[in-house]
Amino acid sequence: GFWVEELERPQAGPSGEAVTVGGESYRRFPLIRKLLFPTKAGTLTLPGLSFQIQLARQSIFDAGGVVERATRPVSITVDPLPDAPGFTGAVGRFSISASLDREVVPLGEAATLRFRVQGTGNLKWIDKGPEVTASGAKVYPPQTKSDLRTTGEGITGSRSWEFVVVPETSGLVEIPALPFSWFDPAAGRIVTSATKPLTLRVEGGTASAGLPVAPAPAATRGASGFLPLRSSLDRGAAVPALS
């Protein structure tokens, strides 16, 4: 019932650390540290763990030996996440940003749109970026990049989606605001934020971009003065050769 992430074991000294439990003094040695992310709601139980511990001899009269110790099972109550449009299961504390690798491109070249989620939480679970559409441009499916590290506070770092944007017309291409929702455990609610709209200026163009087109050379016209139709060319219609 859990997604488990290993944590680096803290380096305690050879004598451990002094602790008091139930009025008794003990030496504590960290053995295992893990981050646990529940994968379902309800009551989940961590089973007890058993250890065999070798006791060193304390004197020539002490034979040492092996003792077995076990932990008690631990039950955890996991609350269900609320349901809301656009919420895909991100839990933690995050901030978002969007940027273009350039503000001006010639028609026919591409720009890269980067959407980034940064913070602490279940970042490895966030596998779906925003839906991106832009009038006047083709937007290709993104590549995902991660810069994550696992700490006692959770999984920290960033996850980015990089979209290739290819303009199909000259002028201004508007990238709309991109929303992202996550559940904030401290606030106990879903938080929705959105990036600022971005503008890509596309220079140059063709007829489809509203620019004039030079007339075709006369040598390519048929005897009637009109350009031959594609269907005529397919039938092998004669076209005057260039001189």
Side-chain angles (χ1 to χ4, degrees):
F2 292 92
W3 173 284
V4 180
E5 290 287 332
E6 300 288 341
L7 285 171
E8 184 178 353
R9 189 173 67 185
Q11 298 298 320
S15 59
E17 57 180 330
V19 295
T20 301
V21 180
E24 298 286 341
S25 296
Y26 294 89
R27 309 299 299 182
R28 179 165 63 191
F29 298 86
L31 298 178
I32 295 175
R33 297 179 72 228
K34 300 177 185 287
L35 286 179
L36 303 178
F37 294 90
T39 58
K40 59 183 180 180
T43 300
L44 306 181
T45 301
L46 300 175
L49 302 177
S50 297
F51 296 89
Q52 288 187 338
I53 304 171
Q54 176 72 46
L55 300 180
R57 296 177 59 180
Q58 301 297 316
S59 68
I60 60 174
F61 304 104
D62 181 6
V66 176
V67 297
E68 185 170 310
R69 294 291 183 264
T71 66
R72 295 185 178 92
V74 177
S75 294
I76 299 176
T77 301
V78 181
D79 296 329
L81 291 173
D83 191 15
F87 176 61
T88 58
V91 178
R93 301 180 301 277
F94 303 112
S95 62
I96 62 173
S97 62
S99 61
L100 289 165
D101 67 337
R102 61 185 75 182
E103 296 181 352
V104 182
V105 295
L107 183 63
E109 291 193 10
T112 298
L113 168 66
R114 179 178 293 107
F115 177 81
R116 188 169 184 245
V117 178
Q118 183 174 8
T120 300
N122 61 345
L123 279 165
K124 284 190 176 181
W125 284 11
I126 305 174
D127 57 358
K128 184 179 180 182
E131 298 291 336
V132 179
T133 58
S135 179
K138 174 72 173 178
V139 181
Y140 289 89
Q143 290 186 342
T144 305
K145 296 182 178 181
S146 298
D147 179 17
L148 305 175
R149 62 186 183 276
T150 303
T151 70
E153 298 297 322
I155 299 176
T156 300
S158 66
R159 199 170 181 106
S160 301
W161 289 261
E162 295 185 354
F163 301 82
V164 174
V165 180
V166 180
E168 297 177 322
T169 181
S170 62
L172 298 180
V173 173
E174 300 290 339
I175 308 295
L178 304 177
F180 183 76
S181 298
W182 67 91
F183 181 80
D184 185 339
R189 61 184 178 87
I190 291 178
V191 177
T192 299
S193 183
T195 62
K196 294 181 179 180
L198 301 172
T199 300
L200 179 65
R201 190 167 84 248
V202 185
E203 297 181 339
T206 62
S208 62
L211 297 181
V213 178
T220 64
R221 298 177 183 271
S224 63
F226 295 99
L227 289 172
L229 297 176
R230 177 68 194 177
S231 58
S232 300
L233 294 176
D234 290 339
R235 292 196 301 269
V239 179
L242 295 176
S243 56

